[in-house]
Amino acid sequence: YDVEVFGIIKSWLPVLHKFPGLRFGREICPSDYGQICARSKIVLGLNQNHENAYYFSNRLFLTLACRGFHLIRYVPGTEDLFQDGKHLAWFRSKQECLDKVDYYLEHEDERREIALNGHRKALKEYNHHEYWGRMMAKLKELNLLGDSQQPMVAEAKASHS
């Protein structure tokens, strides 16, 4: 495989020494992330912890929003938010990861369709407006917003008009 890794060089040094064929791209800033997604056939998503439900890095949502094809290590609860093979793909073992990399490298049209579906879902359901709207609705449902906050919101809107 032609693999290039990005991030903080210090954190990658042990891996780079162990696998001399692995290339270190460079340290990146957030504004570079979209370009990396655009030029990558597969963006591999790994976190330090894969056991805790819903433990996702923000890179999951950023990759989808940047229209990257994201192959992630399965995290419990992922299926509540996304469909494997529709919005992204996941694996549970090293062998399954390698098998899916081979498969999706050979099936470019399917890979692009999944990336497009993930992109659409991220923009529709995981943008800040939608997220905070759902958060405020849940807080209201749980009666965690006091009545005194409603006039404060209305006053703030009126003073900024």
Side-chain angles (χ1 to χ4, degrees):
Y1 302 105
D2 179 18
V3 178
E4 189 172 20
V5 296
F6 297 89
I8 299 170
I9 185 72
K10 185 178 176 181
S11 65
W12 281 105
L13 283 175
V15 178
L16 294 168
H17 289 299
K18 187 175 179 179
F19 301 101
L22 195 60
R23 289 180 295 119
F24 182 77
R26 61 188 159 86
E27 292 190 15
I28 62 169
C29 61
S31 62
D32 296 329
Y33 197 74
Q35 294 172 357
I36 291 168
C37 290
R39 75 176 205 209
S40 301
K41 292 181 180 180
I42 297 175
V43 179
L44 190 60
L46 302 170
N47 292 314
Q48 292 179 347
N49 181 322
H50 300 102
E51 307 304 321
N52 293 341
Y54 305 105
Y55 184 83
F56 302 116
S57 160
N58 68 336
R59 288 184 309 274
L60 183 145
F61 300 99
L62 291 173
T63 301
L64 297 179
C66 292
R67 205 170 171 174
F69 174 81
H70 210 18
L71 177 60
I72 65 167
R73 169 71 187 226
Y74 175 79
V75 172
T78 305
E79 66 280 2
D80 296 337
L81 305 175
F82 303 101
Q83 291 179 28
D84 184 25
K86 181 173 182 182
H87 306 112
L88 48 69
W90 62 67
F91 62 91
R92 296 173 190 259
S93 69
K94 179 181 174 181
Q95 188 58 54
E96 186 179 14
C97 177
L98 294 172
D99 292 344
K100 286 194 174 190
V101 166
D102 286 339
Y103 177 85
Y104 286 115
L105 287 176
E106 292 176 15
H107 295 87
E108 184 173 347
D109 291 341
E110 185 177 355
R111 186 180 73 237
R112 288 183 182 191
E113 182 68 23
I114 292 168
L116 179 59
N117 289 337
H119 173 76
R120 287 177 177 153
K121 186 170 180 75
L123 294 184
K124 180 180 177 191
E125 297 180 25
Y126 298 105
N127 63 66
H128 289 289
H129 179 73
E130 292 296 324
Y131 173 81
W132 287 109
R134 287 192 306 267
M135 181 69 71
M136 294 302 289
K138 190 64 167 175
L139 291 172
K140 287 178 186 177
E141 175 188 322
L142 298 172
N143 292 321
L144 295 176
L145 290 179
D147 291 334
S148 64
Q149 287 187 330
Q150 292 299 332
M152 288 174 32
V153 171
E155 283 179 29
K157 286 182 180 177
S159 67
H160 292 295
S161 300

